[in-house]
Amino acid sequence: MSVLAVSNLAKRYHRGGKPFAAVDDVSFEIGPAETLALAGPSGSGKSTIARLVLRLIEPDAGRIDFEDSDFLALSGAALRARRARIQMVFQDPLAAFNPRATVARVLDDPLRIHGIASRAERPRRIAALLERVGLDAGLAAHAIHEISGGQRQRVAIARAIATRPSLIVLDEAVSALDVSVRGQILELLLDLQRRERIAYLFISHDLGVIRAVAHRVIILDAGRIAESGDARAVVTNPQSAIGKALVAATPKLIRNRP
Amino acid sequence: MSRLRRFFGTPEAIAGAAILALLIVMALAAPLLFPGDPQAIAGPALLPPFQDWSLPLGTDRLGRDVLAELFHGARTSLAVGLAAAAAALLIGAVVGTLAGFAGGLIDEVLMRITDAFQTVPSFLLALAFVSIVGPSLGVVVAAIALGAWTGPARVARAEVLSIRERDYVAGARVIGMHPLEIAFHEVLPNALPPVLALSSVIVAAAILTEAALSFLGLGDPNRVTWGGMIAEGRTVLRTAPFLSVVPGIALVLTVLGVYLAGEGVVESTAVRRSLS
Ligand SMILES: Nc1ncnc2c1ncn2[C@@H]1O[C@H](COP(=O)(O)OP(=O)(O)OP(=O)(O)O)[C@@H](O)[C@H]1O
Ligand SMILES: [Mg+2]
C-alpha cells in the first residue's frame, strides 16, 4: 500500500533549441504518514517533480499512481475532484495567494469547491481550520497581505489540509521563513502528520531540516536520482559525489542536530 | 483620501475633472431646465445668440432652441460614449482573458479575429454596421464598441499571459477550481488595471465617433446630438456660423476633459504603484 508511486517519470524541456531532461527516469514511493524528502542542487528537477506529481504539468513518460489508482488517466471534473486528496504548499506564501484575497476566502474556496461544508457551516469550519494551525480565528477577516509571512504559511497549510488530503507536496515551504518561525512551522507539520496520517513530499535544499523531519531522502542530480535511503543515514554518510558535496556545504552544527 | 489629493495635484487633471463635472451636470439637468422636446420649434428661425434672453444661444434654421439642444446633446454624447466604452472594455477583457488563459487553438482563433477587426478602420466598421442595421441609440453604441474592443483585448491578453504563470494560479488548480472560475475570478480582476487605463482614450474616441456618425446623418434621428447640430449648421455656415461653432466647441472641450481627467487618474495610480 502506498499513497504515491511514481515510476520512470521523465520530463524534457528545450534549452537553446536542444532538448534536455529536467526529470529523467525517476521512480519512488511514499507510504501513509511518511515524509520523503527531495534534495539536490538548484536546477536538479525538484520543483519539476512536484509539478508533475500535482498534474500542473504533464510528463513525457512514466506512470503516477496516487492512492493505488492511475493518476495520469484522470482529466476534467474527475481530476479536479481527486485533487482534494493531494495538496501543495508553496515556497513564497505571498505569491501563493490571490493578492485580492482575504484569509476567509482562501479557506472558503476548497470547502466550497469540494462540497465539504454548506455555506452556512463554512465560517465555523474556517475558524476551526485556523485554530488547527495555531492561528486566531479572528484572522479570517484580514486580507492576505495584512498578515505576517509566518501566519501566511500557516494559512497555506490550513488551506492544504481543508480537504483532508493524504499527501501534501511542500516545495521549499519553510525556506523563506526566518529560523524561529521555521521551527514552529516544522513542528506544526509533524503534529499534523502524527494526528491525521498525512504523507509529505518535502522538497528542501537544507539537509539539516531534511534530517530533522524526513524519513527517507532522495538526492537528485540533473534530473536523475543520485542516491536515496534513510534520511539520517544519507545525511551522515552520503555515498554519491553530489550527496557528499551537498553535505559538505551544510554546516556541521546543523548536520548533527538531533 | 490621499489618492484624491494626488489626482487633483496637476492643473490638467483639475481642468479635466471640471469639464467632466460640467458635462455631467448639463446631461442630468437637461430634462429639468428644458423639459419640452428639444427638437420642437421654440421661436423664429436663425435668431442670433444673446438677443432674446429666453433663447440665450438663439435658434437654428428651423427655430429650435440651441441651448436646449446643447444640453440634450450632452446627454447623448455622454450616454453613447460611456456605454460604448463600457461594452468595448467588457468584450475586450473577456476575449483577452479567454485567449491568454486558454492558450493554444482558442488563443490562435481569438487573436486572428482580433487582428481582423483591427485591420478594418473602426470608423468604417461603425459606418457599415449602422447603415446595415439602421440608426438607433443601441445600434450606434454597438457599432462603436465593435471597433474599440481590440485594444483592451490585447492589453488584457498580455497581462493574463504573465499572471497565469504565478503561483496563486497553480494554487487555484491544486484546490480543484474550475478553469473558467480561475480565469474570470482569480486572473481577470488582477489583469484589469492596465485595461481600465485605456478607458479615457476609448470614451473620448467613442464620443467623437458618435458625433461623426451623427454628422453623416447616421445618428438616432429621435435624439439631439452635437454631430447632428454641426451638420445642420453647415448649411448656413456663412450667415449663422455659431450654429456649427457652439456644438463644435462643446465637442472639443468634452473630448479634452475626458482625456485629461483619464490621464490624471492613470497618473495618480501610477504614482501610487511606483511608491508601493
Ligand atoms: N517551463 C520550463 N521551460 C524550460 N525549462 C524549464 C522549465 N521549468 C524548469 N525548467 C528547467 O528544468 C530544470 C529543473 O528545474 P526545477 O525548477 O525543477 O529545479 P529545482 O531543482 O526546483 O531548482 P531550485 O532548487 O532552484 O528550485 C532547470 O534547468 C530549469 O531551468
Ligand atoms: Mg524549485
Side-chain angles (χ1 to χ4, degrees):
Chain A
M1 234 275 289
S2 69
V3 174
L4 182 75
V6 166
S7 34
N8 311 108
L9 204 61
K11 179 73 184 173
R12 279 182 295 278
Y13 284 121
H14 290 264
R15 186 187 282 150
K18 272 187 295 183
F20 80 101
V23 175
D24 191 5
D25 197 23
V26 166
S27 306
F28 59 82
E29 278 193 29
I30 306 179
E34 186 186 26
T35 299
L36 173 68
L38 290 182
S42 186
S44 56
K46 305 182 295 292
S47 296
T48 306
I49 291 176
R51 298 172 73 81
L52 287 168
V53 161
L54 285 154
R55 292 284 308 271
L56 290 171
I57 52 175
E58 298 302 312
D60 294 312
R63 200 184 149 83
I64 300 173
D65 286 287
F66 178 60
E67 293 184 326
D68 299 313
S69 75
D70 187 354
F71 195 46
L72 292 174
L74 298 177
S75 66
L79 174 60
R80 289 200 298 278
R82 200 92 185 89
R83 287 188 183 282
R85 302 284 296 163
I86 173 167
Q87 285 297 306
M88 173 158 195
V89 176
F90 294 84
Q91 169 170 5
D92 177 359
L94 189 55
F97 296 120
N98 188 332
R100 297 163 172 268
T102 60
V103 171
R105 198 187 118 194
V106 155
L107 297 178
D108 189 77
D109 281 340
L111 297 174
R112 168 179 56 84
I113 289 166
H114 294 284
I116 288 169
S118 69
R119 178 190 287 266
E121 215 182 307
R122 291 204 289 264
R124 268 211 346 266
R125 287 286 191 122
I126 291 168
L129 279 170
L130 286 173
E131 272 156 23
R132 183 70 196 82
V133 296
L135 291 173
D136 191 297
L139 219 61
H142 284 74
I144 282 294
H145 62 82
E146 290 172 349
I147 62 179
S148 76
Q151 288 174 324
R152 243 177 247 139
Q153 203 58 309
R154 284 179 192 267
V155 172
I157 293 169
R159 166 145 133 155
I161 61 172
T163 52
R164 305 197 139 268
S166 61
L167 175 67
I168 299 180
V169 177
L170 301 119
D171 191 352
E172 308 271 12
V174 296
S175 312
L177 305 173
D178 61 48
V179 182
S180 60
V181 180
R182 180 182 305 173
Q184 293 166 8
I185 298 284
L186 290 174
E187 203 53 55
L188 171 65
L189 289 172
L190 289 176
D191 182 56
L192 285 170
Q193 181 166 64
R194 265 195 305 273
R195 289 174 196 235
E196 326 218 349
R197 297 188 57 72
I198 302 172
Y200 295 134
L201 179 59
F202 189 93
I203 296 174
S204 178
H205 59 263
D206 184 339
L207 289 178
V209 168
I210 286 178
R211 186 177 186 277
V213 302
H215 301 107
R216 287 186 301 125
V217 62
I218 288 175
I219 294 183
L220 291 164
D221 185 18
R224 300 187 70 97
I225 295 181
E227 138 168 47
S228 68
D230 176 79
R232 281 178 188 233
V234 170
V235 174
T236 21
N237 186 19
Q239 301 299 310
S240 63
I242 197 81
K244 287 181 176 134
L246 285 175
V247 169
T250 310
K252 207 168 181 91
L253 201 68
I254 299 173
R255 221 190 301 160
N256 294 335
R257 206 170 50 188
Chain B
M1 282 330 293
S2 63
R3 174 111 175 248
L4 262 186
R5 210 174 313 131
R6 210 174 299 117
F7 170 74
F8 286 113
T10 63
E12 291 93 337
I14 295 172
I19 296 172
L20 263 189
L22 183 70
L23 189 76
I24 291 167
V25 168
M26 277 174 76
L28 292 177
L32 304 173
L33 293 178
F34 305 98
D37 177 6
Q39 288 175 307
I41 287 163
L46 290 174
L47 182 73
F50 315 124
Q51 304 276 314
D52 176 348
W53 287 111
S54 68
L55 298 164
L57 285 184
T59 59
D60 70 0
R61 209 161 46 93
L62 297 175
R64 295 177 292 207
D65 181 353
V66 172
L67 191 62
E69 287 191 290
L70 202 64
F71 270 63
H72 282 271
R75 248 173 126 71
T76 315
S77 282
L78 209 62
V80 171
L82 290 179
L89 289 170
L90 184 73
I91 299 170
V94 169
V95 170
T97 300
L98 281 178
F101 191 72
L105 190 66
I106 296 179
D107 183 23
E108 195 67 28
V109 170
L110 288 176
M111 288 331 279
R112 288 299 82 77
I113 294 174
T114 309
D115 283 344
F117 270 91
Q118 210 158 26
T119 2
V120 185
S122 57
F123 185 65
L124 283 187
L125 200 65
L127 209 61
F129 189 76
V130 177
S131 327
I132 293 167
V133 185
S136 75
L137 209 60
V139 172
V140 170
V141 167
I144 296 170
L146 217 53
W149 62 272
T150 54
R154 280 182 191 287
V155 172
R157 175 175 175 272
E159 196 68 10
V160 167
L161 280 181
S162 95
I163 291 177
R164 73 167 190 184
E165 302 301 328
R166 309 237 171 113
D167 277 354
Y168 74 85
V169 175
R173 289 176 67 195
V174 166
I175 61 161
M177 195 179 281
H178 192 281
L180 284 178
E181 189 184 347
I182 300 178
F184 290 109
H185 201 235
E186 302 285 310
V187 176
L188 177 60
N190 292 306
L192 272 186
V195 179
L196 291 181
L198 297 174
S199 39
S200 64
V201 174
I202 292 178
V203 171
I207 289 174
L208 277 180
T209 308
E210 187 278 328
L213 285 174
S214 300
F215 182 81
L216 295 177
L218 287 170
D220 188 330
N222 299 313
R223 287 275 191 155
V224 181
T225 67
W226 291 343
M229 288 169 74
I230 297 173
E232 270 285 313
R234 198 181 38 140
T235 54
V236 287
L237 197 57
R238 266 167 211 281
T239 49
F242 68 93
L243 285 179
S244 297
V245 170
V246 167
I249 289 173
L251 193 62
V252 169
L253 280 180
T254 300
V255 169
L256 200 68
V258 169
Y259 179 76
L260 290 178
E263 287 296 286
V265 171
V266 170
E267 215 136 281
S268 67
T269 51
V271 168
R272 194 176 66 135
R273 259 195 241 166
S274 66
L275 281 180
S276 67

